[in-house]
Amino acid sequence: MRTLLLGANGQLGRTFLDQGELAARGELLAASRDGVLVDGSRGEVADLSVPESLPALLDRVQPDVIVNTAAYTAVDRAEQEESLASRVNGEAVGALGQWAAAHGALVIHYSTDYVFDGGQSQPYEVDARTAPLGAYGRSKLAGEKALRDSGADHLIFRTAWVYAAHGHNFLRTMLRLGAEREELRVVADQHGAPTDTSLIVDASLAALDHWLAAGSVERRALRGTHHLVASGATTWHGFASAIFAQAVSRGLLARAPRVLPIATTDYPTPAQRPAWSLLDNQAFQRRFAFALPDWREGLDKVMAGLARSTPTAG
């Protein structure tokens, strides 16, 4: 099996490479926008902002599986750059699907809670009505539709509140600000389940293994959209408080800042965020026989890893 990993320098792509399990399943080719990987080595060049460039890469590489972790993720900037976000998150995904449909390849693609408006008060099921609030959500929904319409075999995994020990994310921002400030104001009326990239990778590999072992009838049942998020629920304020409690107990911070709860209206942003980002993950757990644990377990593992690799705070 030959696998092409797109977006290898992003949070999720880096975790796929760091964990090494995808490479253990066959030949792995990693791609970034300029072909340079985080460790300085050379990979394939895959610029999703130029969708018309992708078929030539795919023709040359001939992957059996395309894992697309590349995306335009600047939620606020997307309000001014919707055409670029739509090319990367929409048109490029359609190009991947069209090639995969013609060559019998599987596309594993990642989407987002932002395809929903966040207006309900129970976890969103996969077939719930989509209604993006902004440009980023519209671009991701366009990618889902383009991949479905391509006719390719595909697994679309919607996830939310993604973070890792590396990259740009809420956890790393909180640790930086917590070391600098005595007090932080954090939104407390948006709800979700923080999901670490290691869980996404492990669950994706379990789903891929399930797919590879399945016959044609079962594959038709597996094909489609799934919700891949940690279990449980919190708010950004609750997540921040849990991060600081762990950071102090593990010696990453000498003291925790005060974390004051605020409303979304107290922290205006160009793009409107869904107030309710909880996705129902029960069907994923049943279909792929893979448990998605409470978000606190993922945070504990990430913080333990940071503590092993970081000098303790003075």
Side-chain angles (χ1 to χ4, degrees):
M1 182 179 76
R2 177 178 292 172
T3 301
L4 176 64
L5 174 66
L6 302 173
N9 290 345
Q11 280 191 102
L12 183 54
R14 285 178 63 182
T15 304
F16 266 110
L17 292 181
D18 289 346
Q19 293 190 196
E21 292 298 320
L22 188 56
R25 285 162 171 77
E27 183 181 3
L28 175 63
L29 301 171
S32 69
R33 187 167 53 189
D34 61 3
V36 179
L37 304 181
V38 168
D39 64 2
S41 64
R42 295 292 305 185
E44 301 292 336
V45 175
D47 187 351
L48 273 68
S49 69
V50 188
E52 61 271 21
S53 69
L54 297 174
L57 166 66
L58 297 168
D59 284 342
R60 180 170 55 80
V61 172
Q62 291 289 315
D64 303 300
V65 178
I66 302 167
V67 180
N68 182 33
T69 69
Y72 181 108
T73 57
V75 174
D76 289 322
R77 199 163 68 237
E79 296 301 311
Q80 287 74 48
E81 296 182 346
E82 185 162 4
S83 62
L84 175 58
S86 295
R87 283 200 303 277
V88 174
N89 294 341
E91 295 168 32
V93 179
L96 297 175
Q98 289 166 17
W99 188 92
H103 294 82
L106 169 69
V107 180
I108 297 176
H109 174 67
Y110 296 88
S111 192
T112 175
D113 59 297
Y114 277 72
V115 300
F116 300 115
D117 64 11
Q120 68 179 42
S121 57
Q122 65 272 355
Y124 281 94
E125 296 186 357
V126 168
D127 59 357
R129 184 181 69 89
T130 53
L133 297 173
Y136 169 69
R138 287 192 293 270
S139 72
K140 294 296 286 184
L141 185 59
E144 289 188 11
K145 184 177 187 302
L147 183 52
R148 283 194 294 268
D149 290 349
S150 73
D153 283 335
H154 64 275
L155 298 172
I156 297 172
F157 296 137
R158 290 183 185 139
T159 189
W161 290 29
V162 178
Y163 70 98
H166 53 255
H168 301 287
N169 55 66
F170 183 82
L171 177 138
R172 285 176 56 85
T173 298
M174 287 298 103
L175 291 176
R176 175 176 57 82
L177 295 178
E180 299 170 353
R181 302 181 186 178
E182 296 290 331
E183 181 177 286
L184 296 175
R185 293 155 54 85
V186 182
V187 169
D189 58 359
Q190 294 175 24
H191 304 264
T195 304
D196 66 289
T197 55
S198 291
L199 177 60
I200 298 173
V201 167
D202 290 343
S204 298
L205 292 172
L208 174 58
D209 290 343
H210 207 90
W211 173 274
L212 294 172
S216 58
V217 173
E218 187 180 2
R219 284 185 176 184
R220 282 196 292 273
L222 295 175
R223 175 173 157 168
T225 304
H226 309 273
H227 285 171
L228 198 178
V229 289
S231 297
T234 188
T235 64
W236 290 116
H237 177 269
F239 188 25
S241 299
I243 289 168
F244 292 130
Q246 286 253 359
V248 172
S249 69
R250 295 184 181 278
L252 292 168
L253 289 176
R255 49 101 190 108
R258 291 186 298 278
V259 185
L260 303 180
I262 62 171
T264 298
T265 52
D266 296 326
Y267 188 72
T269 56
Q272 186 178 353
R273 267 70 174 167
W276 191 266
S277 290
L278 291 168
L279 306 179
D280 190 329
N281 63 15
Q282 295 298 311
F284 182 100
Q285 296 184 78
R286 290 193 303 270
R287 192 155 290 165
F288 298 110
F290 185 90
L292 295 168
D294 187 89
W295 65 270
R296 295 175 187 84
E297 289 192 26
L299 177 61
D300 187 65
K301 291 178 182 177
V302 171
M303 297 299 285
L306 280 172
R308 286 193 297 269
S309 61
T310 306
T312 56

